[in-house]
Amino acid sequence: MAGFYPPQVKPVMKFSIEQAEEFVSSIFENNGVLPDNARSVARALVAAEAAGQGGHGVRRIPAYIGQLRVGKIDGKARPVATQMRPAVLSVDAGHGYAYPAIDLVVEKLPDIARSQGIALGLIGRSHHAGVMALTVERFAEQGLVAFMVANAPASMAPWGGIKPLYGTNPIAFAAPVDDADPLVIDLALSKVARGKIMAARQKGVEIPNDWALDASGQPTTDPNEAINGTMVPAGEAKGAALALMVEVMAAGLTGGHFGFQASSLLDDTGTAPSLGHTIIAIDPLIAGDDVFAKRLALMASEIEGQENARLPGRRSQGIRKQSLENGIVIEDDILAQIKAL
């Protein structure tokens, strides 16, 4: 998009969602990514930004492009889907970006779930899964219950250890709620998402001392030391155990690399990360009636009826609605990096 930055204007830009998607897509296309893939990546990154999840949004662009240029990501890879069993869909991401493969699962898995009652989607040889809340919510908007796990390059040690073996390994869940936005739960199994540390490093600011440990196992406020050390697991030993469960469910079932085998998502060194993602979609009609969403609405009302209580996912959904109306702002530091691409 030549001429997009007037030379006399400080590089801080506000975009509508459509403008942002076009802008981001053009960056990837100009770097040799297939147009369909570029659009898929752009939609995911902009949606993350719009939902207030900047660590998984446009701040990923420099790393994504850097890895593309050295061949760590194949921008021309087309995901291939194979129905292995009546209720099992396997998708090979081909060492490309995760989002085209995720889009393919979102397209095909609902019909399988409705036919079989439950469906399993396996994505192998993949990359960064992004904000998984946005993926599972797409199933819930179609009346399905969805559960998703994804592993990530090692950044968390087993409880009591100091050598990273597991990724932050997010878990996401969504279900339809009658006359309301879906219930969406999305959490990393580290105390905070690693994207927040990446964003702090890009901004040159410190992090709280309970987010991560340095390479010797000591608490640190330096994001660079944190990147080279380990993340603190959510819930201590329980979070580390759940991270191991995700390694099995995501990498074990898909044939992907375990976290300790995968190269970083944050730099252009090493071979393709080859991560795995697993999605389970359930048709609530298997219970024999059509009152699931109504019953969930009852639970939601009980939660929200308590003072200061909030249903998971509502804050992010509210931010996204505001972004759809008002657009998003790309901060000047990352905009300068993007401009250089």
Side-chain angles (χ1 to χ4, degrees):
M1 299 178 67
F4 199 87
Y5 305 92
Q8 74 276 15
V9 177
K10 184 181 178 182
V12 178
M13 301 289 283
K14 185 174 183 179
F15 299 78
S16 70
I17 299 300
E18 293 77 12
Q19 288 171 333
E21 288 181 359
E22 184 65 30
F23 175 45
V24 174
S25 182
S26 72
I27 294 168
F28 285 91
E29 285 192 55
N30 290 341
N31 279 274
V33 177
L34 291 177
D36 287 350
N37 289 351
R39 179 63 66 177
S40 177
V41 173
R43 280 196 303 267
L45 296 184
V46 172
E49 204 71 36
Q53 301 292 331
H56 294 291
V58 297
R59 287 190 172 276
R60 292 278 175 167
I61 293 175
Y64 277 20
I65 295 296
Q67 293 169 36
L68 175 75
R69 289 176 173 175
V70 299
K72 191 171 175 177
I73 297 173
D74 182 356
K76 292 182 169 59
R78 296 184 184 276
V80 177
T82 305
Q83 193 162 345
M84 308 295 291
R85 304 279 180 87
V88 180
L89 183 74
S90 177
V91 174
D92 180 3
H95 296 315
Y97 294 105
Y99 307 113
I102 290 171
D103 286 346
L104 189 57
V105 172
V106 173
E107 174 192 341
K108 291 183 174 294
L109 208 63
D111 285 344
I112 299 173
R114 292 189 187 98
S115 170
Q116 302 296 319
I118 186 169
L120 177 66
L122 303 172
I123 300 175
R125 297 207 301 167
S126 193
H127 194 254
H128 174 229
V131 180
M132 298 191 333
L134 298 171
T135 296
V136 292
E137 190 175 44
R138 292 164 72 182
F139 288 94
E141 287 170 346
Q142 299 180 62
L144 302 173
V145 178
F147 175 75
M148 179 177 181
V149 293
N151 77 321
S155 60
M156 199 157 61
W159 188 244
I162 61 170
K163 178 183 177 182
L165 290 183
Y166 317 140
T168 54
N169 292 6
I171 295 173
F173 171 86
V177 178
D178 196 44
D179 293 328
D181 290 329
L183 165 65
V184 180
I185 299 170
D186 185 5
L187 51 93
L189 293 175
S190 53
K191 189 163 187 178
V192 298
R194 203 163 190 234
K196 291 187 176 182
I197 292 179
M198 182 192 74
R201 184 175 69 170
Q202 288 179 332
K203 294 177 181 179
V205 299
E206 290 189 337
I207 60 173
N209 67 359
D210 60 348
W211 282 11
L213 308 175
D214 64 20
S216 64
Q218 298 302 309
T220 182
T221 60
D222 184 338
N224 294 296
E225 292 289 338
I227 291 293
N228 294 321
T230 61
M231 303 291 293
V232 173
E236 301 181 335
K238 294 177 182 179
L242 286 172
L244 173 57
M245 179 196 75
V246 172
E247 291 287 347
V248 174
M249 288 288 293
L253 288 181
T254 65
H257 283 162
F258 290 118
F260 68 88
Q261 297 174 305
S263 63
S264 174
L265 296 174
L266 304 179
D267 60 44
D268 60 5
T269 61
T271 57
S274 197
L275 298 167
H277 325 310
T278 294
I279 300 172
I280 300 171
I282 303 168
D283 182 358
L285 289 177
I286 60 175
D289 55 45
D290 193 20
V291 299
F292 177 85
K294 290 183 173 63
R295 296 182 65 230
L296 226 56
L298 173 62
M299 172 62 83
S301 68
E302 288 294 318
I303 294 170
E304 294 175 325
Q306 295 192 25
E307 186 177 1
N308 300 321
R310 183 177 64 199
L311 204 65
R314 289 293 185 254
R315 178 180 175 275
S316 182
Q317 289 164 338
I319 292 172
R320 193 160 79 245
K321 288 175 183 177
Q322 292 179 355
S323 298
L324 288 172
E325 292 181 7
N326 303 323
I328 62 174
V329 173
I330 299 180
E331 297 176 28
D332 56 355
D333 65 313
I334 191 62
L335 192 63
Q337 294 181 48
I338 293 172
K339 180 183 177 182
L341 299 174

